[in-house]
C-alpha cells in the first residue's frame, strides 16, 4: 500500500462525515451530476468497472478508486497495474472497460483506430533514482544519462559524471542499470526524452520496450525497478516519483533545456505541463519542455475509453467515474506526488468524457 493511502482514506472518511453533519456538499456550481460535491448523484450509480494498464499512475488511481467508494457505494472499480502495453492490448481485446497508458496507442497495440478517446488524468516526474553510498546529491546531463543507460559509461567515477558534478567525490562503483522488463509507458516516455534531449548520444530508440544491453537488469512495473535500485549497490533506474519516495530512493537533478539542473518535484512538473502543446485528441508531450524551472522528464498519463459502449449502464459508469476523477479526484493528486491537470486541460478532458456514447 502507498504510504499516503491510509491517511488519505482516513481523512476522506472524516470529510464525508463532516459533510453529512453540516449538510454541506450541495452542487452549487452548475456542473452536471458527478461534478465536485455531487455525491448524491454518484450514489445512484451501480455496477462494476474493470480496468488495467500503466503502473506509473497506479498509486493515484487506487486513491481515486477508494475515495469513489464513499460517493458511489454501489460501484466496484478494479484497476490492475499490468503496464501500459498489456493494458492497451486488454482494452483492444475487450477484456477491460478502460485502460491506463502513459504512451500513445499504436497499430500494433490491437486497438482499432477511431474506437477510443484519450482522457488526460494527471502528470508526474520520472525520477532517475540511484543507490550510491556517500553520494546524496547527483546531477546528470541528458548526454551523460543516455550513455549511462546504454552502458557506455560503466563506473560512477567516469569523467562525464564528474563533469556534471564538480567537487563531488564519486566512487569507482560499477553502474548497474535497472529498467522495465514489461511493456511500459514509463519506458516510452523515458526513452523519448533521451532521444529528444541527448544530442544524438542515445542509440537504442524509443518505445514501450527497447533492446536493453544484456548486462542490465529488468524489473516488472515501477515498483520492480525501484526494488532493484533499493537492493543493489551502484544501481540506477527510472521510477515515478511516488514509488521512488515510497521506496526511500535518492534521485538525481537533471539538466533541462534551459541548462538548469532541476530535481523531480511537482512544481517542476507543473512548469513542464505549462509548456506542453496539446493535440486535438488531447494527447500532449511535456518532455524536455523549455523553462528554467521545468523538470525535463515530465510524463503525462491517460485513460483510454471506448467512443461508444454497447451497454448504456456501462457507459454511464465510465462517465461517472471519470467525471469524479477529473473533479474531486484531482484534489487527491498532490498528496501522492502527482500533479493535477491545468484548469484548461481539465475542462477539455471533461468535454472529452461527455463524448462517450452508448
Amino acid at each position: 500500500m502507498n504510504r499516503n493511502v491510509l491517511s488519505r482514506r482516513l481523512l476522506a472518511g472524516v470529510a464525508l462525515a463532516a459533510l453529512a453533519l453540516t449538510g454541506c456538499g450541495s452542487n452549487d456550481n452548475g456542473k452536471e451530476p458527478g461534478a465536485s460535491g455531487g455525491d448524491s448523484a454518484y450514489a445512484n450509480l451501480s455496477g462494476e468497472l474493470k480496468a488495467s494498464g500503466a503502473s506509473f499512475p497506479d498509486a493515484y488511481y487506487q486513491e481515486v478508486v477508494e475515495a469513489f467508494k464513499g460517493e458511489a457505494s454501489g460501484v466496484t472499480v478494479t484497476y490492475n497495474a499490468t503496464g501500459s502495453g498489456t493494458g492497451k492490448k486488454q482494452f483492444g481485446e475487450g477484456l477491460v472497460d478502460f485502460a491506463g497508458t502513459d504512451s500513445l496507442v499504436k497499430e500494433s497495440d490491437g486497438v482499432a483506430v477511431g474506437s477510443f478517446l484519450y482522457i488526460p488524468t494527471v502528470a508526474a516526474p520520472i525520477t532517475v533514482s540511484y543507490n550510491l553510498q556517500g553520494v546524496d546529491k547527483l546531477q546528470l546531463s541528458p548526454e551523460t544519462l543516455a550513455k549511462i543507460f546504454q552502458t557506455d559509461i560503466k563506473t560512477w567515477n567516469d569523467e562525464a559524471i564528474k563533469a556534471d558534478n564538480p567537487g563531488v567525490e564519486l566512487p569507482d562503483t560499477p553502474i548497474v542499470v535497472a529498467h522495465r522488463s514489461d511493456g511500459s509507458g514509463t519506458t516510452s516516455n523515458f526513452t523519448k526524452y533521451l532521444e529528444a534531449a541527448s544530442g544524438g548520444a542515445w542509440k537504442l530508440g524509443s518505445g514501450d520496450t527497447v533492446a536493453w544491453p544484456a548486462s542490465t537488469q529488468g524489473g516488472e512495473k515501477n515498483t520492480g525497478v525501484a526494488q532493484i535500485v533499493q537492493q543493489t549497490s551502484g544501481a540506477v533506474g527510472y521510477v515515478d516519483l511516488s514509488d521512488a519516495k515510497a521506496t526511500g530512493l535518492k534521485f538525481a537533478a537533471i539538466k533541462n533545456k534551459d541548462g538548469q539542473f532541476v530535481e523531480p518535484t511537482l512544481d517542476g512538473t507543473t512548469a513542464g505541463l505549462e509548456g506542453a502543446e496539446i493535440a486535438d485528441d488531447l494527447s500532449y508531450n511535456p518532455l524536455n519542455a523549455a523553462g528554467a524551472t521545468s523538470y525535463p522528464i515530465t510524463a503525462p498519463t491517460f485513460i483510454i475509453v471506448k467512443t461508444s459502449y454497447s451497454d448504456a449502464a456501462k457507459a454511464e459508469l465510465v462517465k461517472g467515474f471519470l467525471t469524479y476523477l477529473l473533479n474531486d479526484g484531482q484534489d487527491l493528486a498532490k498528496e501522492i506526488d502527482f500533479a493535477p491537470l491545468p484548469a484548461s486541460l481539465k475542462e477539455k478532458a471533461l468535454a472529452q468524457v461527455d463524448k462517450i456514447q452508448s
Side-chain angles (χ1 to χ4, degrees):
M1 181 178 290
N2 184 276
R3 68 200 181 285
N4 288 306
V5 171
L6 183 58
S7 61
R8 284 298 311 182
R9 290 176 184 173
L10 289 171
L11 289 172
V14 172
L16 285 170
L19 286 174
L21 289 170
T22 61
C24 296
S26 61
N27 185 10
D28 59 359
N29 58 6
K31 291 184 179 180
E32 295 182 5
S36 183
D39 54 306
S40 61
Y42 293 122
N44 294 327
L45 296 172
S46 63
E48 183 179 9
L49 291 175
K50 294 181 179 180
S52 66
S55 67
F56 181 77
D58 182 52
Y60 171 67
Y61 290 161
Q62 298 302 338
E63 279 282 78
V64 174
V65 166
E66 186 64 24
F68 189 59
K69 287 181 183 178
E71 303 282 335
S73 59
V75 181
T76 299
V77 183
T78 304
Y79 182 82
N80 186 13
T82 58
S84 295
T86 298
K88 287 183 286 188
K89 284 181 171 56
Q90 290 183 343
F91 178 77
E93 293 168 356
L95 300 177
V96 292
D97 301 308
F98 62 85
T101 180
D102 312 320
S103 56
L104 301 186
V105 175
K106 297 179 180 178
E107 186 176 341
S108 59
D109 291 323
V111 182
V113 175
S115 70
F116 69 94
L117 299 168
Y118 290 112
I119 311 295
T121 56
V122 286
I126 299 174
T127 73
V128 176
S129 292
Y130 66 96
N131 181 344
L132 195 58
Q133 187 173 0
V135 180
D136 294 326
K137 290 188 178 295
L138 186 69
Q139 298 183 158
L140 295 171
S141 64
E143 297 86 354
T144 303
L145 193 60
K147 292 175 183 178
I148 288 172
F149 273 85
Q150 63 193 17
T151 68
D152 294 337
I153 293 175
K154 301 185 184 301
T155 60
W156 281 106
N157 65 345
D158 186 273
E159 291 302 320
I161 302 177
K162 285 183 178 179
D164 287 343
N165 296 273
V168 176
E169 188 173 342
L170 294 163
D172 61 358
T173 307
I175 295 173
V176 178
V177 171
H179 60 83
R180 290 285 290 274
S181 60
D182 51 331
S184 161
T186 310
T187 298
S188 180
N189 283 309
F190 183 68
T191 54
K192 281 180 181 177
Y193 164 73
L194 292 176
E195 217 169 31
S198 68
W202 181 248
K203 306 296 185 183
L204 302 185
S206 63
D208 287 2
T209 60
V210 299
W212 297 100
S215 60
T216 61
Q217 295 187 23
E220 285 192 6
K221 308 178 186 179
N222 276 273
T223 51
V225 176
Q227 187 175 41
I228 293 171
V229 175
Q230 182 190 48
Q231 296 177 350
T232 310
S233 176
V236 61
Y238 53 93
V239 184
D240 70 280
L241 180 62
S242 184
D243 281 312
K245 290 178 73 172
T247 314
L249 301 180
K250 295 182 287 189
F251 28 81
I254 306 300
K255 191 174 184 179
N256 68 15
K257 201 170 189 176
D258 284 28
Q260 303 299 311
F261 286 98
V262 179
E263 294 185 351
T265 64
L266 294 188
D267 287 342
T269 299
T270 300
L273 290 178
E274 290 170 352
E277 184 175 342
I278 302 168
D280 291 341
D281 64 1
L282 298 195
S283 62
Y284 67 101
N285 179 14
L287 294 168
N288 202 34
T293 61
S294 294
Y295 180 71
I297 324 179
T298 289
T301 194
F302 309 90
I303 282 175
I304 54 173
V305 297
K306 296 178 182 179
T307 54
S308 179
Y309 290 81
S310 58
D311 182 343
K314 184 74 70 175
E316 286 306 306
L317 282 180
V318 172
K319 292 172 75 171
F321 176 70
L322 291 178
T323 300
Y324 178 83
L325 184 151
L326 291 166
N327 282 304
D328 302 62
Q330 292 290 292
D331 295 334
L332 304 175
K334 288 185 178 180
E335 293 289 335
I336 42 177
D337 303 307
F338 290 86
L341 298 177
S344 59
L345 182 54
K346 169 188 161 179
E347 292 306 313
K348 290 178 180 179
L350 284 166
Q352 191 89 306
V353 170
D354 286 340
K355 294 178 183 178
I356 299 171
Q357 298 178 353
S358 59

